[in-house]
Structures are given as C-alpha cells and as structure tokens.
C-alpha cells in the first residue's frame, strides 16, 4: 500500500488528484465541526449518552460523530447511500428504469440524477422527523417555525453538500468518492475508541496485565482485518470456453476466460440492511419518547439492541443475535439475487458461443451457475456474520464498547483496497499512454 502511494506521488496528474481528495476530506471534517444554528448541542449529546440501547450508534458511526454533535453534516452521507440502494431495487422492479440502465452512459446519468433528487428528499424527511421529534424536548433553543426551518434547511443542505463532495472526488480525485467520504467519517471515530479501550482495560492495571490486554486487543483487531481482507478478495472463477468460428477470411474465438464470482458477492449491504431493520424500532421509540419501563415492549427493544447480546448475565436477550444472523443470511441471498442474474449470464454466453467445460449451454448452465452462486453466497454470509459477531461478543462479554464494529471494518478495508486498485489502474493507464505517445 505504501509503495503504491509513494509511486503515485511521483506522478504529477495522480499527485494532483490525491491532493484534491485530501483537501475535500479536510472540508468534510471541518464541516463536521460547524454547529447548526438554533440548536442546543449539549442537550442532544447528553440525551444520546443516556441511551441504554444502540439505536443511533450505527448511524452515528457513519456520520463520524457529526450526528451526536449536531453539526451541519449531522445526517452524513447516509441519505445518498439509502437512495442508491432504493434505486438498485427499483431498477429490478420497474421496467422503465431497467431499460434506462441498459442505455449505457446516458442511462446511468439519468439514474444518477434521480438518485440525487431522492437523496435530497430523504434528507428533508429525516431532518423534519428529527426536528419535530426532539425540538419540543430541548433540542431547539427556541421552538419557533423560523428556527425549525433553519435547522431542517441546514441538515438537508449539509447532506446534499456531502453528496456533491463525493461526486467531485469521483470526477476530479482518485475516484470512489462517496465511499471515501464514508471512510473518513468512520476512521475519525477510531482514535476515541482506542482511548476508551485504553482507559477501560489498560489504565490502572499492572504492567503485565496492561501489556497482556494491549496485545489481546491488537491481536483481535489485526486478525479481524486480515479475515476481512481474505473475505473481500476471495472469489470463485468459473472457466468459460468460446468456440472457434469463421468471420470473413479469419478464424476468431477459441479463447478461454472465466467468470469471477466474489465470495462476498453482496459486500456490506446485508449487514447494513439487517442492522437498520433491527435498530428501526428503537429509533421510532426514541423519537416518540417511549421508555417502556418493565413492559414486554421494553424487553423486545432491549433484545433488538446489539449492546444486550452475548451478555452472560442476561442470556435471553441473545435471541436478538439469532434474528440478526437470520436477517444477514436472508439479505445476502436477496441482494445477490437482484444484482446477479444467472439466466441472463447464461443467455449471453450462449449468444456469443461460450460454454462452461462439461456443462451444456442453456438451462443446464443456468442451473450450474445458480448452484455455485448459492454455495458462494452462503459462505460469504457466514464470513460476514463472523466479522460482525467478533465486536459484539467482546462488547457483551467484557463491555468493550466501541463505535466501530464489523460493518465499519468491512467498509474501511473494502474502500482502501478498492481505492488502491483505482490508483494502480490510473498509473497503468498513464504508462500505456506514455508508451503509445513515444
């Protein structure tokens, strides 16, 4: 990684892109410190600290702490992520959008424009819900219509601005802009987490116990990162052979290639879906001011909270972890089914004269691809579950509460690897251009 960055800095074009990306990220972190006018930031920070569940922790990690501090970037980039996921789902359900997607670059731009408008709409709905839900309970310094409009406009504009920053990084920076904005937000919370771990497990201990605790913490983090790297890079390559055919006076075809199927075909999407669905009841209860006391509803909300899982004193709440695992597996299959179509792959291979050695073209190829895909999706889902359960286990057993979990680690590793690949590809393209110019 360091070698790639060192080589990239030697190239003027790529160096300018890296500097531009860095400056954009500085703007993002600077905006994360700008307070929203008319908001009592201390009230919300105290309210958030008093919550026993983790309904908003998942959201706060994605905003880099801007949510708890109620900066102008309080909503973060999550409205754009949500709108992109919604557009992917609608593309499968609505034929018009599916046709638009197949139009190439023009269709992609049209879908991107719709995603932008949808992002602003989602940000507007979320900011209105927060302002109404918390405004009368101390969030607003003055509960007036003009003040509420200012708060809603600030949060909506902040989310739209982050979307613009991400697109600028994609066009003028190193690429992968939205993911990089999300990455810097998550990484910004990690130093505080290490400080908390130090105070909780190392500070005040004997030298031996402190060193042992530090080694265990670093070993767990390192092994998790290595496992995520293996999970993200693992793939099953299905060989494809193309038959030879005569075109004019030339013999073409006959080459061998493969279909790479990633082990983690759906990425981090199943974890995001499952975590969002599990935390949704807690968010609604918090906005409504529901405490529940010792009622059945309160126990259900506690069971849905990740902070209650793997607690040896209250094992009954770990049933929520079982539901979480089921949801991750379900969404892994669901999301893969709408993004990878074995029938379409099989038909395209058949039209181009391709076939899988030992498998007949047509329906047998579709069934073979579906069988392999189901196996790979299950393996990938199990890998995701392992990564996500590790921080949950240590949090429940030892109280090691940190804002970054398995989801954050997957995003961090995935974005870094993808960004490095893009930098390397840009360097390679430049070398080819220089060779052709000579």
């Amino acid at each position: 990684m360091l070698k790639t960055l060192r080589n990239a800095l030697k190239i003027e074009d790529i160096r300018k892109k890296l500097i531009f990306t860095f400056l954009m990220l500085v703007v993002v972190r600077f905006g994360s410190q700008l307070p929203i006018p008319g908001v009592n930031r201390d009230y919300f920070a105290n309210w958030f600290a008093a919550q026993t569940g983790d309904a908003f922790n998942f959201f706060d990690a994605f905003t880099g702490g801007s949510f708890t501090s109620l900066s102008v970037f309080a909503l973060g980039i999550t409205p754009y992520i949500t709108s992109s996921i919604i557009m992917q789902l609608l593309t499968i359900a609505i034929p018009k959008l599916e046709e638009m997607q197949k139009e190439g670059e023009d269709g992609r731009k049209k879908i991107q424009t719709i995603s932008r408008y949808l992002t602003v709409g989602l940000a507007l709905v979320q900011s209105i819900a927060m302002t109404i839900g918390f405004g009368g309970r101390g969030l607003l310094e003055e509960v007036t219509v003009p003040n509420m409009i200012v708060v809603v406009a600030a949060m909506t504009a902040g989310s739209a601005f982050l979307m613009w920053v991400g697109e600028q990084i994609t066009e003028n920076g190193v690429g992968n802009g939205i993911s990089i904005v999300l990455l810097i937000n998550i990484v910004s919370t990690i130093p505080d987490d290490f400080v908390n771990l130090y105070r909780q497990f190392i500070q005040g201990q004997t030298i031996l116990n402190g060193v042992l605790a530090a080694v265990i913490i670093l070993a767990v983090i390192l092994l998790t990162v290595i496992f995520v790297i293996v999970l993200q890079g693992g793939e099953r390559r299905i060989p494809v052979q193309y038959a030879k055919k005569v075109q004019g006076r030339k013999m073409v075809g006959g080459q061998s290639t493969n279909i790479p199927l990633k082990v983690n075909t759906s990425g981090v999407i199943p974890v995001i879906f499952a975590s969002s669905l599990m935390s949704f009841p807690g968010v609604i209860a918090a906005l409504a001011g529901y405490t529940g006391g010792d009622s059945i509803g309160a126990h259900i909300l506690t069971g849905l909270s990740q902070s209650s899982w793997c607690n040896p004193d209250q094992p009954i709440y770990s049933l929520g972890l079982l539901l979480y695992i089921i949801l991750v597996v379900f969404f892994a299959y669901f999301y893969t089914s709408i993004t990878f179509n074995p029938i379409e792959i099989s038909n395209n291979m058949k039209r181009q004269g391709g076939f899988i050695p030992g498998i007949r073209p047509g329906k047998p190829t579709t069934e073979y691809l579906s069988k392999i895909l189901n196996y790979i999706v299950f393996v990938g889902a199990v890998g995701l579950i392992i990564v996500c359960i590790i921080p949950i286990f240590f949090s429940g057993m030892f109280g090691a509460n940190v804002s970054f979990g398995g989801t954050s680690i997957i995003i961090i590793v995935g974005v870094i690897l993808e960004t490095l690949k893009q930098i390397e590809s840009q360097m390679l393209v430049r070398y080819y251009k220089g060779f052709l110019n000579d």
Side-chain angles (χ1 to χ4, degrees):
M1 181 177 71
L2 295 177
K3 182 179 179 181
T4 300
L5 291 176
R6 187 168 59 251
N7 293 334
L9 289 173
K10 297 177 181 178
I11 304 173
E12 183 179 358
D13 293 342
I14 299 180
R15 184 169 63 248
K16 289 181 178 179
K17 292 182 178 181
L18 289 172
I19 294 174
F20 178 84
T21 302
F22 174 76
L23 293 176
M24 286 291 99
L25 295 182
V26 171
V27 171
V28 171
R29 294 314 304 161
F30 178 76
S32 299
Q33 307 302 319
L34 291 178
I36 298 176
V39 169
N40 184 359
R41 303 177 75 184
D42 293 335
Y43 163 79
F44 194 73
N46 295 332
W47 177 89
F48 190 90
Q51 298 302 302
T52 55
D54 59 345
F56 291 100
N57 287 348
F58 179 75
F59 187 75
D60 189 55
F62 278 17
T63 62
S66 299
F67 182 69
T68 53
S69 61
L70 273 184
S71 72
V72 292
F73 292 160
L75 296 181
I77 202 68
T78 49
Y80 181 85
I81 297 174
T82 304
S83 68
S84 299
I85 294 173
I86 291 175
M87 288 303 299
Q88 282 185 313
L89 298 177
L90 291 180
T91 301
I92 306 299
I94 302 177
K96 183 67 175 178
L97 290 176
E98 187 176 3
E99 293 176 4
M100 195 180 298
Q101 188 182 41
K102 294 180 180 179
E103 291 178 1
E105 185 66 19
D106 292 337
R108 188 191 67 82
K109 289 181 178 180
K110 293 178 182 178
I111 293 178
Q112 183 72 12
T113 301
I114 298 174
S115 298
R116 293 192 188 104
Y117 287 118
L118 184 58
T119 298
V120 175
L122 289 174
L124 183 63
V125 171
Q126 292 180 18
S127 57
I128 291 175
M130 284 183 58
T131 303
I132 295 176
F134 294 102
R137 288 186 274 162
L139 175 65
L140 300 179
E141 295 178 350
E142 295 181 6
V143 186
T144 61
V145 174
N147 195 21
M148 295 176 70
I149 292 176
V150 169
V151 173
V152 170
M155 286 194 287
T156 304
S159 183
F161 180 77
L162 281 180
M163 175 182 65
W164 178 83
V165 169
E167 293 179 349
Q168 292 302 307
I169 293 176
T170 300
E171 295 178 4
N172 304 314
V174 295
N176 220 13
I178 300 298
S179 298
I180 291 178
V181 172
L182 183 60
L183 170 68
I184 193 63
N185 284 337
I186 295 175
V187 171
S188 66
T189 64
I190 293 181
D192 290 336
D193 290 323
F194 278 112
V195 171
N196 292 333
L197 290 175
Y198 171 79
R199 292 174 178 173
Q200 188 174 1
F201 296 102
I202 301 176
Q203 190 176 28
Q205 302 290 330
T206 62
I207 296 178
L208 180 61
N209 291 339
V211 171
L212 180 62
V215 170
I216 293 175
I217 292 172
L218 293 177
V220 171
I221 295 175
L222 182 61
L223 290 176
T224 304
V225 171
I226 293 175
F227 183 80
V228 171
I229 293 175
V230 174
L231 181 65
Q232 293 291 96
E235 63 181 20
R236 169 74 180 271
R237 298 181 179 180
I238 300 177
V240 177
Q241 181 72 36
Y242 287 90
K244 293 183 179 181
K245 56 183 178 181
V246 178
Q247 287 185 353
R249 300 174 61 181
K250 295 182 178 180
M251 181 74 70
V252 298
Q255 73 271 22
S256 299
T257 182
N258 60 75
I259 303 175
L261 296 179
K262 294 188 65 176
V263 173
N264 187 19
T265 54
S266 52
V268 76
I269 297 299
V271 179
I272 294 178
F273 277 12
S275 299
S276 301
L277 193 60
M278 295 284 288
S279 63
F280 184 73
V283 172
I284 299 300
L287 292 174
Y290 174 78
T291 56
D294 198 33
S295 63
I296 296 178
H299 288 293
I300 292 176
L301 291 176
T302 304
L304 294 177
S305 174
Q306 292 186 9
S307 60
S308 304
W309 301 343
C310 300
N311 188 342
D313 297 330
Q314 297 175 318
I316 187 64
Y317 292 134
S318 295
L319 291 175
L321 177 60
L322 180 61
L323 176 61
Y324 177 75
I325 292 173
I326 293 173
L327 288 175
V328 170
V329 175
F330 169 77
F331 283 121
Y333 278 97
F334 173 75
Y335 191 76
T336 303
S337 67
I338 65 176
T339 55
F340 186 90
N341 190 347
I343 298 177
E344 184 177 354
I345 298 295
S346 176
N347 292 336
N348 290 338
M349 288 172 52
K350 189 176 181 179
R351 283 195 295 267
Q352 297 172 7
F355 62 93
I356 299 175
I359 307 296
R360 293 173 55 190
K363 186 177 180 180
T365 298
T366 302
E367 294 176 348
Y368 176 78
L369 290 175
S370 299
K371 179 181 177 182
I372 297 297
L373 187 64
N374 289 334
Y375 170 74
I376 291 176
V377 170
F378 181 76
V379 174
V382 171
L384 285 177
I385 291 169
I386 292 175
V387 174
C388 293
I389 286 181
I390 290 176
I392 293 174
F393 172 79
F394 282 94
S395 176
M397 293 295 295
F398 307 104
N401 294 317
V402 291
S403 62
F404 69 94
T407 308
S408 300
I409 294 176
I410 295 173
I411 293 175
I412 291 173
V413 173
V415 173
I416 290 176
L417 293 178
E418 185 64 26
T419 303
L420 288 176
K421 288 181 181 179
Q422 291 200 12
I423 293 175
E424 289 176 351
S425 65
Q426 292 177 16
M427 293 170 61
L428 188 62
V429 169
R430 181 186 179 280
Y431 289 145
Y432 276 130
K433 287 183 178 179
F435 175 75
L436 294 175
N437 290 335
D438 293 340

